[in-house]
Amino acid sequence: MVIASHLTVSKALNFGTVAVTRSFNIQLKCSSKGFTRSIQMANIPVSKSSDSSSSRGALIVLEGLDRCGKTTQSSNLHKYLEGLGHSAELWRFPDRTTSVGQMISSYLSNESQLDDRAIHLLFSANRWEKRSLMESKLKSGTTIIVDRYSYSGVAFSSAKGLDFEWCKAPEKGLLAPDLVVYLDIPPEKATERGGYGGERYEQLEFQKKVRQSYQALHDASWKIVDACGSVKDIEKQLQEIVLESIGLCQKEKPLTCLWSS
């Protein structure tokens, strides 16, 4: 059993290493034309679909501390967009349905132990598993709402003390969101919400560090929403912000790669 466990972790680490290497290869494939810059992020356009007449979907990411309301709001947003007739899907990371995701789920539930660097690479590999499908869906016109993305990976791992830039490296080359909405809540307030403390990272002092890491990731493209407001008020803000982003994508805003420079 011990040997099998070691082999499984070894395979996962190899998967994560491939993800890191693949991320740098993806960067080389991105076009060098059309550079856009923001405070902390420079994105390189991904090649367009051969059908230039079709508009693409938007990649919308919701981020925030544990128990900030992301799951509720992302689900409500998905239903709202479908109600308007948009082609939309709701994704969550980690995706616990994949083989890598199952290892992550075991770790988060405190059923297994892994080195901090190993689990970081597993989280990244879990996102790389879905990259091709994500790009295909977006180019076909489907808007994808994502509950947690690369920013969570960097924020949580760097909060453990891992190097900030090292944490970002495996994510480079993944698709950049068209919109990042950060649901802002004081860590103390989050502890008052139902179910808090059920998973590994739901600890007050750790969440304070995560919030600091998120603040280091913020750039001018992020939208900050007060997560202490009522569910309905937050819903309304999200709907307005997201519809504007979808409109821009329908005007042939190019897909870009995350943190490529």
Side-chain angles (χ1 to χ4, degrees):
M1 293 294 291
V2 173
I3 294 174
S5 177
H6 286 175
L7 288 173
T8 303
V9 173
S10 176
K11 286 174 66 179
L13 287 175
N14 287 337
F15 194 103
T17 302
V18 170
V20 176
T21 304
R22 185 180 174 192
S23 71
F24 291 111
N25 290 336
I26 289 292
Q27 293 177 63
L28 295 177
K29 293 179 182 178
C30 291
S31 169
S32 61
K33 298 179 181 179
F35 250 79
T36 57
R37 293 186 180 275
S38 61
I39 294 177
Q40 293 186 359
M41 181 170 68
N43 296 327
I44 301 178
V46 174
S47 58
K48 290 185 178 180
S49 168
S50 58
D51 181 8
S52 59
S53 63
S54 62
S55 61
R56 71 171 180 85
L59 179 56
I60 310 296
V61 171
L62 272 65
E63 289 283 4
L65 300 182
D66 290 339
R67 305 296 167 176
C68 70
K70 289 181 294 63
T71 300
T72 297
Q73 292 298 338
S74 58
S75 179
N76 290 348
L77 180 59
H78 176 230
K79 293 174 184 175
Y80 171 74
L81 292 178
E82 286 195 322
L84 293 180
H86 290 278
S87 174
E89 291 187 7
L90 174 59
W91 290 22
R92 291 188 176 93
F93 286 111
D95 179 347
R96 304 189 191 208
T97 65
T98 71
S99 56
V100 173
Q102 289 170 13
M103 294 184 68
I104 294 172
S105 183
S106 177
Y107 172 82
L108 291 176
S109 301
N110 291 302
E111 296 173 1
S112 65
Q113 300 296 325
L114 286 171
D115 179 84
D116 288 341
R117 290 171 177 78
I119 190 62
H120 180 79
L121 292 176
L122 285 176
F123 271 104
S124 183
N126 191 231
R127 288 182 280 274
W128 277 101
E129 287 182 295
K130 305 296 287 290
R131 187 199 185 281
S132 295
L133 179 60
M134 178 182 283
E135 183 172 350
S136 175
K137 292 277 187 181
L138 291 170
K139 286 183 175 180
S140 72
T142 298
T143 287
I144 302 177
I145 303 156
V146 184
D147 180 351
R148 293 206 182 283
Y149 196 51
S150 299
Y151 309 98
S152 284
V154 176
F156 279 75
S157 290
S158 61
K160 297 177 185 178
L162 298 184
D163 180 76
F164 197 76
E165 292 303 319
W166 184 91
C167 292
K168 289 172 67 175
E171 310 296 316
K172 295 181 179 180
L174 290 171
L175 295 179
D178 296 295
L179 172 67
V180 178
V181 179
Y182 181 76
L183 298 180
D184 191 24
I185 186 172
E188 295 81 3
K189 284 286 186 182
T191 65
E192 300 172 3
R193 298 190 168 181
Y196 192 91
E199 289 200 330
R200 181 182 295 265
Y201 295 137
E202 292 179 350
Q203 302 171 24
L204 178 57
E205 292 307 313
F206 182 73
Q207 291 288 315
K208 288 179 179 178
K209 294 177 182 178
V210 172
R211 194 186 197 200
Q212 292 175 349
S213 294
Y214 268 126
Q215 290 171 346
L217 287 166
H218 285 184
D219 64 40
S221 69
W222 284 38
K223 301 294 184 183
I224 313 299
V225 173
D226 183 1
C228 294
S230 71
V231 172
K232 288 297 182 183
D233 286 344
I234 296 171
E235 276 183 22
K236 192 170 183 180
Q237 291 182 64
L238 286 176
Q239 290 167 4
E240 293 175 358
I241 295 169
V242 168
L243 286 178
E244 180 181 359
S245 181
I246 291 175
L248 291 174
C249 293
Q250 290 175 338
K251 296 177 181 178
E252 297 189 5
K253 175 186 174 185
L255 280 172
T256 56
C257 294
L258 183 64
W259 293 323
S260 299
S261 58

